[in-house]
Amino acid sequence: MELQPSILREISDEHNLLPQPARAKYISETDELILEDELQRIKLEGKIDRDKCVTGSVIAIYGAERNDGKFTVEDFCMADLPPQTPRPVLSSDRFVLLASGLGLGSSHADSMLGLQLLIDMVTGQLGDQGEQSGAANISRVLLAGNLLSQSTQDKDASTKPKYLTKKTQAGSVEAIRLLDELLLQLVASLPVDVMPGQYDPTNYTLPQQPLHRCMFPLSSVYPTLQLASNPHIANIDGVRFLGTSGQNVLDIQKYSSMESHLEILEETLRLRHLAPTAPDTLGCFPFYQKDPFILEECPHVYFSGNATTFESKLVKGPDGQEVLLVTIPEFSSTQTACLVNLRTLECEPVSFSAFSANDDEESEMNISH
Amino acid sequence: MDELYLDNIDEFVNDHDKIVTYKWLSLTLGVHVNTAKQMLYHYLDHKRKESSAQLHATYLVSGKFEDNGQTGHKVSVVKEDQLEDFKSKMSLVVSVHVYSVQKALLKDSGPLYSVDYDAVKDNLKNCTKFSAIRCASAVPMSSLELQQARQIHQVPAPEPEHKKPAMNGEANASKPSTKPQKGIMGMFASKAAPKNQDNVKDIKTEQKEDTPVAEAPKSKPAAKANPMMNFFGTQTAKKPDKTEKKEEAAQSSSSAEVQRQSSQPEEKREAPAVQPPKDTKKEARSKSKRVVDSDSEEEKMEKKKRRRIKKPEPDSSDEDVIPDSPQQMKTRELSPSPEKEVEPVSHSPSGNSQKTRKRRRVLKARTFVDDEGCIVTEKCYESESYSETEDDVQATKQASKDPVPAKRPASHKPDEKKSQKKTSANANKGSKQASIMGFFQKK
């Protein structure tokens, strides 16, 4: 791909290029699709959409090689859904709340009341008896990444001189303290799984390690707090949840023509690989022997966080697998979280809003389809 | 009684000009949230009927609504005038209740958040005390459970997390590891060999004692298991091993107290011993895991070494070395359970001294007034019962004025350290070179 950022081109003196600006999409017309194995590679053409394929996909193609050395594809297939253990039958409704992109520590704290409403609802303080009894059925909260906002990642310390930044704290310190207090309210009421995201204080490469418990002195005393890695597998009442904080989906979105997070999510499921673009364009630990991102077993709920909108879809596999795909929207911008019903594998968006002086009617930020 | 809360709310709203949200009210008055909501509702009703003051209220509306065929749940805080509007938009209204009452008309919902934030901040520990949902498992763990959880966490952490390039626990340990004193250790290793007969359990107690101390020494317990492994094998035992053995020896003498072991800590200690090597920099070391792990002890040993820096490598019998270890343990242990063990250990030096007690002739100066009325100082050899440990214990006692080391609070720790430094210095000189002691005593 011509537009793909290449460090070699950047530092090459003969080209004398400035660093490439960040783009939304790195696909271009001159891209080529190449099939590669341990020994050789061959260019592909034909009934395969070049812009929809991403580096790292493992596919099987059916066609013939032409004289000029290119392979004409007549059909192709992917690994498709892995085998799945059937999920247990639940007698009563039980819910899991999925939220991501809380965006704490940002300069504009518009979403804080929404967050407080979310916590109040989940802990059973909001609403009347009926709602509270409904909220009592929420058996877990899963926070899928980007708990801190991007503005906490400001690398002021590296650019400014030391005497200016000596006494200033990193933005993430205050944000983590705020997060700890929020988590304390939640963990006192129900189990919480916390996954790190792109802007959270943990390592950059996938798999991201769980946030360290020393950052959560107040809430880590509770056994209900579980600091999870990214990607994360959880088994909640027999229902297998698998998901990431969205970095894999976002990366595929940048390097392919696919726009919808849900479409990309389905694509990764069918490819049986969580993050096919790692380590090519997505940072990842250099695994040598075994690739842990290959989906061995099919989850029941497959999610990715920090999407722009809420989307969900029930995918059925050839062997009777049933997977609920959920793209969790970013809470800081959409004020929406998702509620998954474990009994029926349905997902519904829950949105929170408040009023502000700007508009006469409340800012309804709920988007769903 | 009923009127009381009305007055309270009245006071808050009118006199203090506060924004009274249901949550703030529930935390302030200590009532259930639903009760608080009802209180607010009644108050509003009451005041509206009286129509005395201008009050504004915000409501919470929650319900289902349809959007492109997808049913969603919506929860909103609305102003009073928008209430009906909102309710009509929803397909099904699940709940409506008063969210807050305030005197001024709120343009923005920001203050609502800050009010709740302050209220929750003040009551962080029991913010869910008045909520409607209880969770049985959400009970804060005691510190002991916490430590156990952390140990278990650390132990399996190295194994499954092969993804992690470096492990937390080991990272701590490997950081301060410094120059190996292999030559000296090698010298000591042979001496330590006879001491290998000590139970593995002794090490475990030691480690168990260490565990409650702090997080940083967490690697120490892990590391400590390895000297045990070292004993039974490698030649390149190091100074940490020596100290380890000393402690064992001290422990073994007070084996009665030490013997209360559970297999669990044992397993835990063994497991960290199996941690993969992390310190690849020191090629001088043999490649065995145990050796590398023992390097991690050096961090702990560094601390000890500082205190005993004056003490040259013991080339005399182990028994001379033993007395130091109880003091080391005294400084390092803070929590009550190790204290109990420290106490017997510290007393054990007196028990130890039974082994080491011997009579010897010491040059002492005696001053007396002779018949002419002159004060005469005479140097003479006196035979006295001498025990190095006794000296140390006594010196420590004098220094800290606290004969029971177990009861020493953490604040005395620096004193202890200093006194131990002194005593260890003294002990050094006393045990190894009796003649030098005499030199000092002359003064």
Side-chain angles (χ1 to χ4, degrees):
Chain A
M1 296 171 97
E2 188 188 303
L3 292 175
Q4 181 176 350
S6 161
I7 187 69
L8 297 175
R9 258 187 264 150
E10 270 182 40
I11 62 175
S12 155
D13 286 334
E14 17 176 285
H15 289 270
N16 216 15
L17 281 177
L18 296 162
Q20 290 177 331
R23 308 167 77 104
K25 286 257 185 239
Y26 289 95
I27 52 174
S28 81
E29 281 308 308
T30 56
D31 294 341
E32 286 170 347
L33 194 61
I34 298 173
L35 182 73
E36 188 179 272
D37 74 347
E38 292 106 346
L39 302 173
Q40 59 199 319
R41 35 175 29 208
I42 191 164
K43 287 206 181 108
L44 296 179
E45 277 178 343
K47 294 204 183 88
I48 186 164
D49 192 346
R50 176 199 69 200
D51 288 329
K52 283 218 158 95
C53 292
V54 283
T55 310
S57 331
V58 178
I59 60 170
I61 51 175
Y62 172 79
E65 189 184 340
R66 287 211 318 255
N67 288 342
D68 61 352
K70 292 195 184 159
F71 193 97
T72 312
V73 177
E74 286 176 39
D75 197 8
F76 71 98
C77 79
M78 298 182 279
D80 224 343
L81 271 63
Q84 185 188 64
T85 52
R87 67 172 202 276
V89 176
L90 291 171
S91 52
S92 62
D93 268 349
R94 257 175 266 178
F95 298 95
V96 171
L97 187 82
L98 303 170
S100 79
L102 303 182
L104 296 172
S106 69
S107 39
H108 48 273
D110 292 342
S111 64
M112 293 311 293
L113 182 62
L115 200 53
Q116 193 61 51
L117 288 176
L118 172 78
I119 295 175
D120 286 344
M121 187 198 86
V122 167
T123 55
Q125 300 183 29
L126 216 59
D128 61 4
Q129 293 251 320
E131 172 137 16
Q132 285 168 353
S133 59
N137 285 330
I138 299 179
S139 61
R140 203 180 280 218
V141 170
L142 210 150
L143 299 174
N146 278 358
L147 307 159
L148 266 51
S149 105
Q150 190 177 6
S151 49
T152 60
Q153 294 270 301
D154 190 14
K155 295 278 192 283
D156 229 7
S158 55
T159 48
K160 271 195 186 169
K162 198 79 175 180
Y163 67 90
L164 284 176
T165 58
K166 197 162 184 179
K167 289 279 166 68
T168 54
Q169 239 178 18
S172 47
V173 173
E174 186 62 32
I176 283 283
R177 203 188 48 81
L178 193 60
L179 178 65
D180 191 25
E181 284 167 11
L182 287 176
L183 283 179
L184 177 67
Q185 298 175 50
L186 277 178
V187 294
S189 197
L190 79 172
V192 182
D193 287 1
V194 182
M195 289 167 60
Q198 193 178 353
Y199 306 125
D200 292 328
T202 183
N203 59 316
Y204 165 72
T205 51
L206 286 190
Q208 283 184 301
Q209 294 310 308
L211 299 168
H212 201 279
R213 62 169 187 273
C214 68
M215 294 196 281
F216 305 107
L218 298 168
S219 38
S220 60
V221 286
Y222 283 86
T224 42
L225 177 72
Q226 188 176 346
L227 297 162
S229 62
N230 171 30
H232 178 49
I233 296 184
N235 197 317
I236 305 171
D237 287 335
V239 179
R240 283 188 80 235
F241 278 69
L242 167 66
T244 63
S245 299
Q247 288 116 315
N248 53 335
V249 171
L250 216 60
D251 197 63
I252 295 175
Q253 191 192 26
K254 278 194 279 182
Y255 288 93
S256 74
S257 62
M258 296 187 272
E259 285 291 348
S260 153
H261 281 239
L262 194 71
E263 189 189 342
I264 296 171
L265 206 59
E266 190 179 347
E267 191 77 8
T268 59
L269 184 65
R270 294 212 185 268
L271 280 171
R272 249 197 243 193
H273 200 287
L274 265 183
T277 53
D280 186 38
T281 44
L282 181 64
C284 130
F285 185 78
F287 296 106
Y288 183 60
Q289 303 279 15
K290 190 172 167 327
D291 188 346
F293 294 137
I294 296 174
L295 298 176
E296 308 275 355
E297 202 190 323
C298 194
H300 300 111
V301 179
Y302 184 39
F303 63 88
S304 97
N306 297 300
T308 42
T309 67
F310 165 79
E311 287 170 313
S312 82
K313 182 173 168 187
L314 197 64
V315 169
K316 296 227 185 330
D319 296 327
Q321 298 107 328
E322 229 182 27
V323 190
L324 173 69
L325 302 178
V326 183
T327 57
I328 312 172
E330 217 178 338
F331 196 86
S332 54
S333 52
T334 60
Q335 308 274 291
T336 311
C338 324
L339 206 58
V340 177
N341 187 336
L342 295 180
R343 187 175 62 89
T344 60
L345 264 201
E346 277 168 1
C347 187
E348 125 181 313
V350 185
S351 62
F352 302 88
S353 58
F355 54 91
S356 71
N358 293 336
D359 25 59
D360 282 339
E361 53 180 34
E362 295 175 0
S363 48
E364 292 184 357
M365 301 276 261
N366 175 51
I367 304 132
S368 65
H369 79 267
Chain B
M1 178 54 203
D2 274 354
E3 297 306 311
L4 212 61
Y5 72 82
L6 284 178
D7 289 338
N8 275 339
I9 302 174
D10 200 24
E11 191 189 324
F12 292 136
V13 174
N14 284 325
D15 302 342
H16 299 292
D17 231 354
K18 277 195 165 58
I19 302 173
V20 180
T21 62
Y22 75 94
K23 198 162 172 198
W24 185 89
L25 192 67
S26 117
L27 286 170
T28 315
L29 294 183
V31 294
H32 195 270
V33 282
N34 290 342
T35 322
K37 289 172 204 160
Q38 280 166 0
M39 283 185 191
L40 278 180
Y41 176 72
H42 284 143
Y43 173 74
L44 207 61
D45 216 25
H46 190 73
K47 283 291 174 189
R48 289 275 160 84
K49 280 188 194 130
E50 284 182 13
S51 67
S52 49
Q54 249 305 44
L55 285 179
H56 295 97
T58 57
Y59 290 84
L60 184 95
V61 183
S62 82
K64 304 272 183 225
F65 80 107
E66 299 277 330
D67 189 1
N68 296 350
Q70 169 95 20
T71 316
H73 193 86
K74 195 161 160 66
V75 177
S76 329
V77 176
V78 302
K79 285 191 275 205
E80 204 162 1
D81 37 5
Q82 299 157 346
L83 181 61
E84 293 307 317
D85 192 30
F86 243 77
K87 274 160 70 168
S88 59
K89 280 191 195 158
M90 295 203 175
S91 58
L92 170 69
V93 176
V94 174
S95 67
V96 178
H97 68 80
V98 179
Y99 189 83
S100 79
V101 173
Q102 62 276 343
K103 214 155 82 165
L105 176 65
L106 278 183
K107 292 249 171 10
D108 193 31
S109 48
L112 291 174
Y113 171 69
S114 44
V115 163
D116 277 344
Y117 179 74
D118 292 333
V120 168
K121 193 99 188 278
D122 296 332
N123 293 305
L124 267 182
K125 291 280 175 202
N126 50 359
C127 45
T128 50
K129 200 161 121 187
F130 302 114
S131 80
I133 296 178
R134 289 268 172 277
C135 178
S137 60
V139 176
M141 300 188 283
S142 68
S143 56
L144 196 61
E145 283 171 351
L146 267 176
Q147 280 149 16
Q148 283 173 359
R150 280 166 197 169
Q151 284 164 17
I152 300 168
H153 206 66
Q154 266 211 332
V155 165
E159 265 87 12
E161 295 187 26
H162 60 275
K163 299 165 190 166
K164 257 203 269 186
M167 328 242 178
N168 286 342
E170 291 169 300
N172 286 342
S174 56
K175 256 189 283 177
S177 40
T178 54
K179 46 186 170 33
Q181 291 175 9
K182 260 194 284 197
I184 296 168
M185 287 330 302
M187 174 168 65
F188 203 71
S190 47
K191 293 280 175 9
K195 283 292 168 190
N196 291 354
Q197 309 320 317
D198 292 334
N199 307 341
V200 180
K201 283 185 182 174
D202 293 338
I203 284 279
K204 301 304 172 354
T205 327
E206 185 60 55
Q207 293 159 352
K208 196 172 179 190
E209 288 167 357
D210 282 341
T211 316
V213 173
E215 283 303 295
K218 201 103 311 247
S219 53
K220 294 181 193 176
K224 271 201 213 174
N226 305 312
M228 220 38 238
M229 317 277 273
N230 275 325
F231 297 156
F232 298 111
T234 356
Q235 288 295 324
T236 53
K238 290 167 194 59
K239 188 161 186 179
D241 300 347
K242 168 197 78 174
T243 327
E244 207 39 55
K245 294 163 213 155
K246 280 188 292 186
E247 285 157 354
E248 284 168 60
Q251 291 280 18
S252 61
S253 56
S254 59
S255 51
E257 291 80 8
V258 163
Q259 281 308 328
R260 39 191 170 84
Q261 288 293 339
S262 62
S263 57
Q264 208 189 2
E266 208 166 324
E267 286 160 357
K268 285 184 197 164
R269 294 299 156 264
E270 288 299 352
V274 189
Q275 276 168 9
K278 54 204 171 308
D279 212 351
T280 51
K281 282 183 269 180
K282 328 250 166 161
E283 290 94 357
R285 306 262 157 79
S286 82
K287 295 292 186 296
S288 83
K289 270 194 247 173
R290 300 167 292 182
V291 177
V292 176
D293 282 329
S294 69
D295 292 345
S296 62
E297 288 171 24
E298 292 212 311
E299 163 212 298
K300 165 194 70 153
M301 296 310 144
E302 282 300 309
K303 289 190 196 173
K304 282 188 170 184
K305 265 163 60 172
R306 269 201 341 244
R307 271 182 259 122
R308 295 189 353 245
I309 203 98
K310 290 183 196 155
K311 180 176 177 166
E313 287 319 312
D315 39 20
S316 51
S317 76
D318 293 2
E319 285 147 17
D320 295 338
V321 173
I322 289 165
D324 256 7
S325 48
Q327 279 102 46
Q328 304 300 351
M329 285 176 13
K330 276 181 232 157
T331 50
R332 288 192 296 111
E333 274 104 33
L334 299 170
S335 54
S337 57
E339 279 176 351
K340 277 185 256 166
E341 286 160 346
V342 168
E343 205 171 347
V345 170
S346 64
H347 289 323
S348 73
S350 25
N352 271 350
S353 63
Q354 279 159 14
K355 282 194 221 164
T356 60
R357 189 181 288 271
K358 47 189 184 249
R359 300 200 79 80
R360 68 162 186 190
R361 285 156 56 78
V362 177
L363 195 68
K364 272 205 170 151
R366 277 192 314 125
T367 53
F368 57 90
V369 181
D370 71 358
D371 14 21
E372 288 174 47
C374 308
I375 300 177
V376 176
T377 307
E378 202 176 71
K379 279 170 275 188
C380 64
Y381 276 94
E382 279 182 13
S383 159
E384 70 161 27
S385 163
Y386 159 78
S387 155
E388 189 187 341
T389 54
E390 217 174 49
D391 274 358
D392 290 348
V393 171
Q394 281 166 0
T396 319
K397 284 181 190 169
Q398 285 153 16
S400 61
K401 292 179 196 142
D402 189 357
V404 182
K407 297 210 176 53
R408 241 175 250 146
S411 56
H412 288 202
K413 206 173 157 210
D415 302 336
E416 275 182 282
K417 278 194 189 149
K418 283 186 229 150
S419 66
Q420 292 201 354
K421 209 167 179 172
K422 274 188 272 175
T423 56
S424 41
N426 290 341
N428 279 350
K429 292 170 182 131
S431 60
K432 267 145 239 109
Q433 296 158 29
S435 54
I436 292 199
M437 263 325 275
F439 174 70
F440 281 117
Q441 274 176 1
K442 268 187 213 175
K443 288 182 187 167

